């Protein structure tokens, strides 16, 4: 069913809206164009082709897909358009609990869209108010026009009609309104009986009055014939109804005898009529007494129902607010940003829950990753000893010397390193540093791993062929440029951990071997990763660009084997020093960043070293 059909089926007032030859609402300006629409917390803002037409806002993935049908639409009759308080390009359109977050390319386009949407809504509402449902109200004629109360009407129609019309409606409403009260129902039943009796009596009296009227008319005609000259002898009556005219005394007396006309006992009927009306009044009085006595009970019931309704309404509003909060909780207002509506505790809880989910997924796939056999040729050792001749070679040499000078220094003294994690041979230290509200805490970890060499650890850490096997935070990566056999420029995006924004990083990764100056000291293997700029990987609005300076520094210690045995993996031990200086960018709370770093860095180091041990088990030692 089309949108127009769905509107028209809602009411006849919709059908009367004026439209032009193309079917568009008269007075409304259609609008279409590209707007960014918030899709979900994973993909964020995406460009969509949005069309405003016939009081409906629809969107398509692109302009080319308009002929295949829209991906979603909103009827604007009850829509609420809200310009964002801080973002000058953003507008939110909500209908009940459905919200569209939209962004225009500039504030002018946003104003244009808001004005067009409001114009559609205003014209629609105006026509609805003018063309609302028109009912037919019956207004009864005035009482005088109906003939009730006039002498001619009394003779012509009788009093039963007026009494029946006046009492039937009262009886019907009364019995339905008070049918729950047993005593009241009985009294109302009595009133029904009294009404039937009264109607019959009124009918009898009406016949009597009609007979009297006819008799008087006949008597006047006869008197005019008999006594034409004596106009003053108009017959007078006594209280018992006997006429005193001498010319027709006997005839008239027979017509108005105490038994009445046609054998009606007028006096008896009058007494019965009086008794019936007295019974009605007594019953009505009893009904009033019953209703007064039950008024307190009814009022208590009403108060109880009102209180119950109030509690239900409060519960409904609370549930509705919770539902709206949950449905919008992953909207753009609740993600990382300078004006985020989520507090630090909620931010941390959401991040921790997302990381837990990632850990469960990683545990399921870890075994399969280890089983995959990957082979990557290992260059000769002298390749890693050369400085290189590429354009970043001097920067690489500077980073290597800094790591060898400062990263291997002891954590004691005035460095203010704080031990935050200690698990067996692994120790993690942190030094709290903030700059412009951004956490820049340097991190340093030391670890000792048996059965592997420094060359092997750095090889698996540097070679991108194995990156996805042990790195669980990366969504995708690619080598932007290969500078030399031991240096590459890598771009990688990390998995989104809602509500934090997605991060990406562009860095140069170099692997070096530093020969020892003393034959008693081991050689040092080192991988340094530091941020650089590259024309083929410019920052985008989709991710927050992080800056890193990371060093993996390894030394191999060999214990002499027993007797003439060859050196085995049981005789080697790798001492690892891992340093990380990360500027995450963005607006994540400092407490959350520190808590995540304390949780994730030790897990990463244990996961990676365990992976190296599994990959090198049973293989020749790579010194």
């Amino acid at each position: 069913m089309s949108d127009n059909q769905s509107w028209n089926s809602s009411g006849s007032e919709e059908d009367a809206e004026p439209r032009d030859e193309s079917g568009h609402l008269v007075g409304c300006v259609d609008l279409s164009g590209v707007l960014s629409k918030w899709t979900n917390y994973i993909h964020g803002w995406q460009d969509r082709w949005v069309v405003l037409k016939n009081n409906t806002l629809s969107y398509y993935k692109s302009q080319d897909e308009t002929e295949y049908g829209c991906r979603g639409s909103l009827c604007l009759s009850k829509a609420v358009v809200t310009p964002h308080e801080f973002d000058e390009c953003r507008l939110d359109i909500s209908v009940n609990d459905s919200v569209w977050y939209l962004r225009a390319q500039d504030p002018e386009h946003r104003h244009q869209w808001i004005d067009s949407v409001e114009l559609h809504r205003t014209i629609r509402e105006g026509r609805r108010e003018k063309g609302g449902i028109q009912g037919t109200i019956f207004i009864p004629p005035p009482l005088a026009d109906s003939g009730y109360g006039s002498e001619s009407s009394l003779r012509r129609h009788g009093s039963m009609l007026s009494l029946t019309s006046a009492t039937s409606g009262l009886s019907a409403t009364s019995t339905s309104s008070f049918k729950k009260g047993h005593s009241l129902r009985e009294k109302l039943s009595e009133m029904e009986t009294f009404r039937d009796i009264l109607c019959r009596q009124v009918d009898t009296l009406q016949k009597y009055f009609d007979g009297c009227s006819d008799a008087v008319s006949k008597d006047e005609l006869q008197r005019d014939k008999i006594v034409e000259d004596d106009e003053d002898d108009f017959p007078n009556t006594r209280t018992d109804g006997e006429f005193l005219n001498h010319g027709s005394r006997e005839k008239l007396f027979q017509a108005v005898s105490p038994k009445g006309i046609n054998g009606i006992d007028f006096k008896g009927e009058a007494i019965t009529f009086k008794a019936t009306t007295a019974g009605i009044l007594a019953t009505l009085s009893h009904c009033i007494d019953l209703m007064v006595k039950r008024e307190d009970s009814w009022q208590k019931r009403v108060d109880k129902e009102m209180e119950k309704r109030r509690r239900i309404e409060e519960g409904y509003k609370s549930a509705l607010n919770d539902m709206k909060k949950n449905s919008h909780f992953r909207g753009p207002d609740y993600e990382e940003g300078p004006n985020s509506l989520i507090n630090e505790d909620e931010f941390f809880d959401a991040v921790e829950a997302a990381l837990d989910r990632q850990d469960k997924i990683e545990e399921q796939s870890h075994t399969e990753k280890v089983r995959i056999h990957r082979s990557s040729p290992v260059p000769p050792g002298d390749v890693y000893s050369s400085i290189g001749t590429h354009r970043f070679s001097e920067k690489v040499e500077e980073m290597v010397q800094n790591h060898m000078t400062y990263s291997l220094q002891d954590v004691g003294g005035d460095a203010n390193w704080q031990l935050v994690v200690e698990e067996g041979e692994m120790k993690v230290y942190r030094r709290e540093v903030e700059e412009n509200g951004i956490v820049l805490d340097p991190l340093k970890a030391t670890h000792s791993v048996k059965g592997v060499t420094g060359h092997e650890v750095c090889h698996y850490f540097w070679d991108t062929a194995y990156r996805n096997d042990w790195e669980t935070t990366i969504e995708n990566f690619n080598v932007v440029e290969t500078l030399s056999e031991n240096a590459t420029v890598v771009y990688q995006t990390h998995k989104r951990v809602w509500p934090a924004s997605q991060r990406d990083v562009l860095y140069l990764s170099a692997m070096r071997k530093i020969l020892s100056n003393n034959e008693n000291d081991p050689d040092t293997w080192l991988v340094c990763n530091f941020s650089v700029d590259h024309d083929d990987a410019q920052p985008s609005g989709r991710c927050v660009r992080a800056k890193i300076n990371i060093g993996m520094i390894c030394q191999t210690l060999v214990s002499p084997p027993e007797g003439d045995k060859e050196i085995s993996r049981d005789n080697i031990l790798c001492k690892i020093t891992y340093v990380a200086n990360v500027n995450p960018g963005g607006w994540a709370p400092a407490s959350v960043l520190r808590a995540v770093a304390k949780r994730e860095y030790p897990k990463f180091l244990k996961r990676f070293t365990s992976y190296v041990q599994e990959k090198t088990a049973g293989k020749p030692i790579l010194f």
Side-chain angles (χ1 to χ4, degrees):
M1 179 180 291
S2 65
D3 293 338
N4 288 336
Q5 289 173 329
S6 63
W7 295 342
N8 292 341
S9 63
S10 62
S12 60
E13 69 273 16
E14 305 286 347
D15 300 335
E17 291 183 341
R19 300 176 183 266
D20 55 21
E21 295 179 355
S22 61
H24 299 176
L25 293 175
V26 175
C28 291
V29 178
D30 295 343
L31 185 63
S32 60
V34 176
L35 292 176
S36 295
K37 183 179 182 296
W38 176 264
T39 54
N40 53 54
Y41 74 98
I42 296 178
H43 298 97
W45 297 98
Q46 299 289 332
D47 288 342
R48 295 290 183 260
W49 182 259
V50 183
V51 177
L52 174 60
K53 180 179 179 181
N54 291 340
N55 199 43
T56 301
L57 192 67
S58 308
Y59 79 92
Y60 307 81
K61 186 174 182 180
S62 64
Q63 186 177 4
D64 298 333
E65 294 190 3
T66 54
E67 60 183 6
Y68 301 114
C70 67
R71 296 199 167 199
S73 63
L74 286 177
C75 181
L76 301 177
S77 299
K78 297 183 179 180
V80 178
V81 184
T82 307
H84 197 263
E85 182 179 2
F86 305 105
D87 192 342
E88 294 183 350
C89 298
R90 178 176 150 192
L91 65 151
D92 301 344
I93 301 178
S94 60
V95 178
N96 297 327
D97 58 347
S98 177
V99 182
W100 284 12
Y101 305 101
L102 304 172
R103 294 188 80 254
Q105 59 184 0
D106 52 50
E108 293 182 359
H109 281 82
R110 183 185 78 164
H111 292 318
Q112 182 181 4
W113 277 97
I114 292 176
D115 293 342
S116 298
V117 170
E118 291 294 348
L119 179 60
H120 275 250
R121 291 182 63 255
T122 303
I123 293 178
R124 184 79 165 217
E125 290 299 325
R127 288 170 183 159
R128 181 171 297 176
E129 292 176 0
K130 292 180 180 179
I133 300 175
Q134 297 179 354
T136 302
I137 302 176
F138 174 74
I139 302 177
L143 186 61
D145 295 341
S146 66
Y148 297 152
S150 64
E151 182 181 356
S152 59
S153 172
L154 189 63
R155 288 198 302 266
R156 195 167 53 247
H157 304 294
S159 300
M160 185 177 179
L161 176 62
S162 60
L163 185 60
T164 303
S165 61
T167 58
S168 61
L170 174 63
S171 173
T173 56
S174 299
T175 54
S176 62
S177 301
F178 308 115
K179 61 183 178 181
K180 292 185 179 180
H182 182 68
S183 298
L184 189 60
R185 186 163 55 243
E186 290 179 351
K187 290 300 177 182
L188 291 173
S189 178
E190 290 180 9
M191 289 182 62
E192 292 281 353
T193 303
F194 281 132
R195 186 200 67 173
D196 295 339
I197 296 173
L198 191 60
C199 289
R200 288 196 297 269
Q201 291 172 345
V202 169
D203 187 35
T204 301
L205 293 174
Q206 182 68 53
K207 292 179 180 178
Y208 180 84
F209 294 149
D210 292 341
C212 289
S213 178
D214 294 339
V216 170
S217 298
K218 292 179 180 179
D219 179 66
E220 289 178 351
L221 292 174
Q222 293 178 0
R223 184 192 60 184
D224 290 341
K225 293 179 180 180
I226 297 172
V227 189
E228 295 180 355
D229 298 330
D230 189 3
E231 295 181 357
D232 297 332
D233 289 341
F234 188 79
N236 295 321
T237 61
R238 296 204 307 262
T239 56
D240 58 358
E242 181 181 359
F243 286 87
L244 300 179
N245 184 281
H246 299 284
S248 59
R249 178 182 178 90
E250 294 180 356
K251 187 175 182 179
L252 289 175
F253 183 82
Q254 182 180 1
V256 293
S257 64
K259 285 291 183 178
I261 300 174
N262 299 327
I264 297 176
D265 186 359
F266 175 76
K267 189 172 183 179
E269 291 291 339
I271 295 173
T272 306
F273 182 84
K274 183 177 180 180
T276 304
T277 54
I280 291 177
L281 293 176
T283 305
L284 285 175
S285 178
H286 195 164
C287 291
I288 293 173
D289 291 340
L290 289 174
M291 287 188 287
V292 170
K293 291 178 181 178
R294 296 184 62 184
E295 183 178 5
D296 293 339
S297 175
W298 289 346
Q299 187 62 45
K300 290 179 181 179
R301 290 184 182 181
V302 171
D303 294 340
K304 185 177 181 180
E305 290 297 326
M306 292 293 290
E307 178 64 21
K308 184 178 179 181
R309 178 176 178 177
R310 184 187 64 81
R311 290 196 300 266
I312 292 175
E313 289 179 348
E314 290 178 354
Y316 169 76
K317 291 179 181 179
S318 177
L320 184 62
N321 291 334
D322 292 342
M323 182 182 67
K324 289 183 177 180
K325 183 178 180 181
N326 292 333
S327 63
H328 303 158
F329 191 66
R330 289 194 168 182
D333 292 324
Y334 291 91
E335 66 172 355
E336 175 189 350
N339 304 302
S340 177
L341 299 181
I342 189 171
N343 58 45
E344 289 193 16
D345 292 337
E346 294 172 335
F347 198 105
F348 175 75
D349 292 341
V351 169
E352 188 175 39
L355 292 175
D356 288 340
R357 288 193 297 270
Q358 289 186 6
D359 289 344
K360 290 182 180 179
I361 297 174
E362 181 59 28
E363 288 177 1
Q364 297 173 357
S365 61
H366 174 69
T367 305
E368 296 297 328
K369 288 182 178 180
V370 173
R371 291 177 180 173
I372 297 176
H373 177 71
R374 304 180 191 277
S375 60
S376 179
V378 180
D382 56 354
V383 170
Y384 300 107
S385 301
S386 62
I387 297 177
T389 58
H390 52 81
R391 64 182 185 279
F392 292 107
S393 58
E394 294 183 0
K395 185 65 175 178
V396 171
E397 187 64 21
E398 178 185 351
M399 290 295 179
V400 170
Q401 294 304 320
N402 286 338
H403 284 305
M404 294 299 298
T405 303
Y406 301 108
S407 299
L408 295 178
Q409 287 182 352
D410 188 66
V411 294
D414 299 331
N416 295 325
W417 289 102
Q418 300 174 4
L419 179 64
V420 292
V421 177
E422 182 175 6
E423 297 181 10
E425 295 292 332
M426 182 176 61
K427 296 180 180 179
V428 180
Y429 302 87
R430 181 178 66 201
R431 192 170 67 240
E432 293 190 358
V433 177
E434 288 191 28
E435 182 178 327
N436 297 326
I438 299 178
V439 175
L440 304 176
D441 294 353
L443 183 139
K444 185 174 184 177
T446 60
H447 195 18
S448 297
V449 183
K450 293 182 178 181
V452 296
T453 66
H455 187 181
E456 291 170 335
V457 171
C458 288
H459 171 68
Y460 285 103
F461 185 74
W462 177 80
D463 197 333
T464 56
Y466 306 98
R467 184 67 50 84
N468 282 330
D469 291 348
W470 56 266
E471 178 60 273
T472 61
T473 65
I474 292 179
E475 183 176 88
N476 55 67
F477 73 92
N478 64 286
V479 177
V480 178
E481 182 180 359
T482 301
L483 301 174
S484 64
E485 290 184 340
N486 66 337
T488 57
V489 177
V490 180
Y491 171 77
Q492 65 188 29
T493 57
H494 292 264
K495 295 176 182 178
R496 172 78 184 276
V497 181
W498 188 89
S501 300
Q502 189 172 21
R503 258 71 177 179
D504 64 357
V505 60
L506 177 68
Y507 62 94
L508 186 150
S509 181
M511 180 174 171
R512 291 288 303 278
K513 177 182 179 182
I514 310 299
L515 300 176
S516 173
N517 296 326
N518 188 340
E519 62 180 8
N520 294 325
D521 295 334
D523 295 337
T524 301
W525 288 86
L526 180 148
V527 176
C528 61
N529 299 335
F530 58 91
S531 294
V532 295
D533 295 326
H534 200 285
D535 294 337
D536 295 338
Q538 295 294 331
S540 65
R542 181 171 176 265
C543 298
V544 175
R545 178 64 57 90
K547 302 292 184 180
I548 64 170
N549 183 8
I550 294 173
M552 175 76 78
I553 308 166
C554 303
Q555 293 178 330
T556 305
L557 302 181
V558 181
S559 60
E562 297 180 358
D564 297 334
K565 294 182 179 180
E566 295 183 356
I567 296 176
S568 67
R569 292 195 176 273
D570 295 333
N571 303 118
I572 59 177
L573 177 71
C574 181
K575 297 190 67 174
I576 300 174
T577 300
Y578 179 82
V579 292
N581 293 270
V582 179
N583 181 350
W587 299 270
S591 61
V592 176
L593 290 175
R594 290 191 172 105
V596 171
K598 182 179 178 180
R599 162 187 164 140
E600 293 299 311
Y601 275 112
K603 289 171 57 177
F604 147 72
L605 203 54
K606 288 192 296 183
R607 181 174 62 249
F608 171 68
T609 54
S610 297
Y611 170 79
V612 176
Q613 287 177 319
E614 293 175 359
K615 295 296 288 185
T616 57
K619 293 183 179 180
I621 301 175
L622 183 64
F623 286 100

